[in-house]
Structure formats: C-alpha cells, structure tokens
Amino acid sequence: MLKGFLDKLLYTTQKSVQKEVKSISQEEVEALVEARLREHAATIEQSVNEKVSSDVRTPDQEDYSLTPKQVEFALSLIAKTRDFELAADPGILTVKDLNKLIAFNKFKNKGILVNLVKKGVLRKK
C-alpha cells in the first residue's frame, strides 16, 4: 500500500495545461486607447459644463443681499470695530458678510476682519 502511494506520487504524469493566448493587434490596442480617451474627455467636459451652469445665477436662486434692517445692524457692528470702516456701498453686503461681523463681535477674532478687508468689504481707517 505504501509502495503504491509512493509510485502514484512520484511517477504521475501530469499534463501541462496551456491556454491559448490570443494576440491583440496594434490597431485594436490603439482603438481601445482612443475610445477610453474620448470617454474621459467627455466626462471632463460634462463636469466642467455642470460647474459652469451651477456658477451661473438663475432667478429662482436665493438672494443673499441684506434687508435694510440687516444693513443697519451690519453698519452698527462695523462702527464697533474701532480701526475699520466700510469700504464699499452698503448695498453689496451679503448675509455671509453679516455673519462674519457677528462672529467677530462675539469672538474678537482679528482674522475675520482681515478676511473682510481682503474681500473689499472693510478698510483700515
């Protein structure tokens, strides 16, 4: 029994299985690469178009301008900052600017004022 097992183990003839390798021509490779490049370019173009269309403001989007009462409040907050004054027309102030002014008066973070100066909302006196 042991001899039969050893004979099977040592003297087996294994058939090597070889798969046929299908060769691909240069033209097929170039066609595949070109198709992928066109697909990639179309994807990029579509994402750029979506970005541009989202940047264009449509009439149904929210208006971020301030109401007269909010403008008055923003001007009073600017007056509380001793070293800065309004650099532009109060009509161009946005809700985001008002929120920054409120945050400055709450936390006294000078970086907020620096960012408003960079944006052109405030200027040093």
Side-chain angles (χ1 to χ4, degrees):
M1 179 164 172
L2 186 60
K3 186 177 182 202
F5 179 71
L6 287 175
D7 286 342
K8 284 184 181 179
L9 184 66
L10 295 175
Y11 300 112
T12 58
T13 56
Q14 294 181 351
K15 297 179 183 177
S16 60
V17 178
Q18 293 181 354
K19 292 185 177 181
E20 288 186 35
V21 178
K22 181 183 174 186
S23 63
I24 301 174
S25 69
Q26 182 72 22
E27 292 82 23
E28 290 175 328
V29 171
E30 289 175 0
L32 285 171
V33 169
E34 252 183 77
R36 294 291 176 145
L37 286 175
R38 275 189 256 118
E39 180 181 319
H40 183 66
T43 304
I44 290 174
E45 184 178 342
Q46 180 183 8
S47 65
V48 167
N49 287 340
E50 288 174 0
K51 173 90 171 114
V52 168
S53 67
S54 68
D55 288 343
V56 175
R57 190 173 177 166
T58 59
D60 62 336
Q61 287 180 335
E62 278 191 48
D63 185 19
Y64 292 110
S65 61
L66 300 178
T67 64
K69 193 167 188 175
Q70 287 174 321
V71 170
E72 188 179 316
F73 180 59
L75 292 175
S76 70
L77 292 175
I78 293 171
K80 288 182 183 178
T81 62
R82 298 180 189 125
D83 299 333
F84 294 92
E85 63 186 1
L86 187 64
D89 180 41
I92 66 162
L93 288 175
T94 64
V95 174
K96 192 172 184 179
D97 299 331
L98 178 61
N99 289 338
K100 287 180 181 181
L101 288 168
I102 292 169
F104 169 74
N105 281 310
K106 185 175 184 179
F107 301 113
K108 303 299 181 200
N109 183 349
K110 295 283 184 178
I112 295 171
L113 294 180
V114 170
N115 289 337
L116 286 171
V117 168
K118 286 180 183 177
K119 188 178 173 189
V121 175
L122 296 179
R123 69 171 169 243
K124 280 208 169 219
K125 287 185 179 178

